[in-house]
Amino acid sequence: MSLNHINASQGYVVPINPDGSSCVVLVCEHASNHIPASFDALGLSPEQRQSHAAWDPGAMGVASRLADRLDAALIASGVSRLVFDCNRPPSAPDAMPARSEVVDVPGNAGLTEAQRAARAADFYHPFHSALRAQIARVADPILITIHSFTPVYHGAQRAVEIGILHDSDTRLADAMLRTAGAHTQANVQRNAPYGPEHGVTHTLKEHAIGQGHLNVMLEMRNDLIETAAQQDAMADMLASWIAAACAHVGAAGGVQCRA
């Protein structure tokens, strides 16, 4: 299943394969660049709405394929992160940023507390409620969030190609880093291009770390997952890598990669 855009008709929380047999629960918080019509495009140009400022290009394509390879459930957000970044708590300024890298977001400038609360009620709370319910359906859940990042940020080239991100629980990240060479020749780095100091581990902290669930956040450079063929190849590689890493840490129930 390949989804690059998620339409409003599909709702703002998109569950994929909710009855999957895997103990892995996948999350894609920045799956869509959709901005509901009531927001008047947040004052952005079409080019800005297509850019990485509005979503994580390629991430949903990889995540949906990975859900298939692992027979795992996937919870995705169906709204642009500029409307609400579901990987941030409602109190965070960048949950509804007035500026994203070099892109000003007029529709987010000067939001009142009431407006921020209304957006949280419409987008953040339904997303995290759905994710919480999905996790509760799984024995010994393993939470894996899927993201992409731009090759150039604030004018600086990024050498990292795949980031393995974690917060205080390093178990699964450590296992993936130890086994990386058997699965990919990509430039793999720990907590790059972002780390917990940038506030990017909110979903992991909210749904996994306090509960003792294995967890990791995966970041892929988006020029490596632009096409359907690239997304297929990345999902194939990640599926076998995740299964190996879970076996390495002795994950209860195991994780199987389907051909």
Side-chain angles (χ1 to χ4, degrees):
M1 184 177 188
S2 176
L3 295 175
N4 287 325
H5 300 265
I6 299 173
N7 297 320
S9 61
Q10 295 173 280
Y12 300 125
V13 181
V14 182
I16 305 292
N17 195 30
D19 298 319
S21 63
S22 179
C23 52
V24 170
V25 176
L26 298 167
V27 185
C28 194
E29 301 100 321
H30 305 154
S32 175
N33 64 352
H34 176 72
I35 299 174
S38 60
F39 290 96
D40 195 25
L42 294 174
L44 300 171
S45 70
E47 293 75 19
Q48 289 169 329
R49 298 197 301 273
Q50 289 291 333
S51 76
H52 70 272
W55 64 326
D56 282 359
M60 185 59 181
V62 173
S64 59
R65 288 164 168 81
L66 193 54
D68 178 69
R69 306 303 195 270
L70 295 174
D71 194 25
L74 164 64
I75 301 294
S77 172
V79 69
S80 169
R81 64 178 168 199
L82 296 180
V83 175
F84 200 106
D85 186 336
C86 286
N87 193 30
R88 299 292 189 279
S91 59
D94 52 354
M96 294 154 271
R99 184 174 177 84
S100 178
E101 193 191 356
V102 297
V103 176
D104 288 318
V105 187
N108 287 347
L111 292 175
T112 67
E113 287 303 313
Q115 289 171 319
R116 292 178 66 87
R119 288 206 204 172
D122 287 343
F123 306 111
Y124 174 87
H125 293 298
F127 179 84
H128 284 277
S129 293
L131 177 54
R132 191 172 294 109
Q134 183 63 53
I135 291 170
R137 299 174 64 181
V138 178
D140 301 307
I142 299 169
L143 188 66
I144 301 178
T145 66
I146 306 297
H147 294 260
S148 72
F149 63 95
T150 179
V152 179
Y153 189 69
H154 284 290
Q157 293 280 341
R158 287 163 157 170
V160 58
E161 295 176 309
I162 298 176
I164 307 297
L165 281 61
H166 61 80
D167 203 279
S168 57
D169 179 359
T170 70
R171 293 173 294 167
L172 188 52
D174 289 345
M176 292 197 71
L177 289 161
R178 281 195 295 267
T179 56
H183 299 278
T184 180
Q185 297 304 305
N187 182 333
V188 179
Q189 297 182 27
R190 182 191 298 269
N191 281 338
Y194 311 105
E197 68 274 18
H198 301 110
V200 300
T201 55
H202 173 67
T203 297
L204 302 185
K205 292 193 291 184
E206 186 74 12
H207 297 281
I209 293 173
Q211 298 85 345
H213 304 323
L214 288 167
N215 63 91
V216 73
M217 177 176 175
L218 304 181
E219 285 271 10
M220 298 156 286
R221 210 173 66 192
N222 66 31
D223 59 323
L224 304 179
I225 53 172
E226 291 178 333
T227 68
Q230 288 176 313
Q231 292 165 15
D232 278 332
M234 183 66 76
D236 287 342
M237 184 274 289
L238 287 176
S240 61
W241 187 6
I242 288 166
C246 288
H248 193 81
V249 297
V255 176
Q256 299 297 318
C257 174
R258 304 194 301 189

